Amino acid sequence: MAHFYLDESLVEPEGPGGVVALRGADARHAVTVARLRTGERVAIGDGAGLVVEGEVVQSDRDEVLLRAESIRHEPEPSPRLTLVQALAKGDRDELAVQAATELGVDGVQPWQSARSVSRWEGAKAEKGRARWQTIVREASKQAVRAHVPVVAPVTATASLARRIEQGAPTTLALVLDPLGTTALSALDAAALGEPAGVTEILLVVGPEGGITPEEFAALERAGARRVRLGATVLRTSTAGPAAIAVLSAALGRW
């Protein structure tokens, strides 16, 4: 498999044989760290579905030129999988975001839940979102993903509930709850996907201390459903990625 790099300013060549450029930090990393040289095969994506693969014809510190051999546009999956990840202490929320991206999540929504130890307030909110976006971008390269998920601004429970309510019936919100009566694995493609008119699945994951009864009530009033993964209780860093794996299998992505 060719090495994969991202350049959001990538310009699509007119066809095979055309030359495209990789610039910026990824170009410098490719040349100085990965030791990319002329004649090697690489793939470059713009993070929005365009992927160009071919042979390196020039390798400088600030620019790598690629002669295109194949050009493809990958459509976004439907329904979209969005991870609503509660802020958590340490790096547990970041681990969840990283793994979820590698596993195929299509969007990330930071959630300031009642029991979140970490607080994103003021300037820290944008700093935190930017850090998560960097994690998502790097994980996308690792997983060779044509689409880089977007990290939304942090949301509070009331705003999340409004989003769920306003998105109905095309938005399906699933809240992970170890005591939920419905198993996530019991939901098949017909219940999760386009046949049911669903265009987005919101997977809501609480923090270390769990989701409060008041939050469960607010989300359920908005139309969310409680679901459980299994008999064990997972950490906030692993619950979301595990659920995404289950959903990916149910939707036929895997």
Side-chain angles (χ1 to χ4, degrees), residues 96-114:
V97 170
Q98 179 184 33
T101 302
E102 293 179 13
L103 291 167
V105 78
D106 303 305
V108 178
Q109 173 67 73
W111 174 32
Q112 186 77 69
S113 66

Side-chain angles (χ1 to χ4, degrees), residues 164 171-175 200-204 219 223-226:
I164 295 170
T171 296
L172 173 63
L174 303 174
V175 185
E200 182 178 30
I201 298 173
L202 297 180
L203 181 67
V204 184
L219 297 177
R225 300 175 59 182
R226 296 197 203 190

Side-chain angles (χ1 to χ4, degrees), residues 12-206:
E12 182 178 355
E14 293 183 358
V19 176
V20 296
L22 171 67
R23 300 186 176 90
D26 270 26
R28 289 190 292 275
H29 181 276
V31 175
T32 62
V33 179
R35 303 294 183 184
L36 188 66
R37 296 294 181 260
T38 301
E40 294 188 58
R41 290 180 56 79
V42 299
I44 306 174
D46 68 351
L50 170 64
V51 178
V52 180
E53 187 172 344
E55 181 181 331
V56 175
V57 295
Q58 179 180 317
S59 180
D60 297 326
R61 176 180 172 82
D62 296 316
E63 183 179 66
V64 174
L65 298 182
L66 179 78
R67 179 174 290 113
E69 296 176 1
S70 68
I71 304 165
R72 70 178 189 272
H73 291 270
E74 292 192 11
E76 286 196 77
S78 181
R80 287 173 48 83
L81 292 179
T82 297
L83 173 65
V84 181
Q85 175 63 49
L87 304 184
K89 64 182 180 181
D91 61 353
R92 289 177 182 171
D93 48 13
E94 295 179 356
L95 290 172
V97 170
Q98 179 184 33
T101 302
E102 293 179 13
L103 291 167
V105 78
D106 303 305
V108 178
Q109 173 67 73
W111 174 32
Q112 186 77 69
S113 66
R115 290 176 175 163
S116 290
V117 175
S118 177
R119 312 300 296 181
W120 285 9
E121 297 170 343
K124 190 176 180 180
E126 176 53 29
K127 183 178 179 181
R129 189 207 64 78
R131 176 169 173 77
W132 281 23
Q133 189 65 62
T134 298
I135 292 170
V136 163
R137 189 178 188 275
E138 293 305 308
S140 296
K141 290 194 295 183
Q142 166 66 35
V144 193
R145 293 193 53 176
H147 290 272
V148 177
V150 174
V151 179
V154 65
T155 190
T157 302
S159 298
L160 176 59
R162 283 196 297 272
R163 177 180 176 183
I164 295 170
E165 187 173 18
Q166 293 170 359
T170 59
T171 296
L172 173 63
L174 303 174
V175 185
L176 293 187
D177 176 11
L179 301 179
T181 56
T182 301
L184 182 60
S185 59
L187 302 180
D188 58 16
L192 296 169
E194 290 182 344
V198 175
T199 59
E200 182 178 30
I201 298 173
L202 297 180
L203 181 67
V204 184
V205 182

Side-chain angles (χ1 to χ4, degrees), residues 204-229:
V204 184
V205 182
E208 305 94 318
I211 299 173
T212 68
E214 294 78 13
E215 288 174 322
F216 272 127
L219 297 177
E220 285 185 298
R221 283 196 301 270
R225 300 175 59 182
R226 296 197 203 190
V227 294
R228 72 176 189 279
L229 278 170

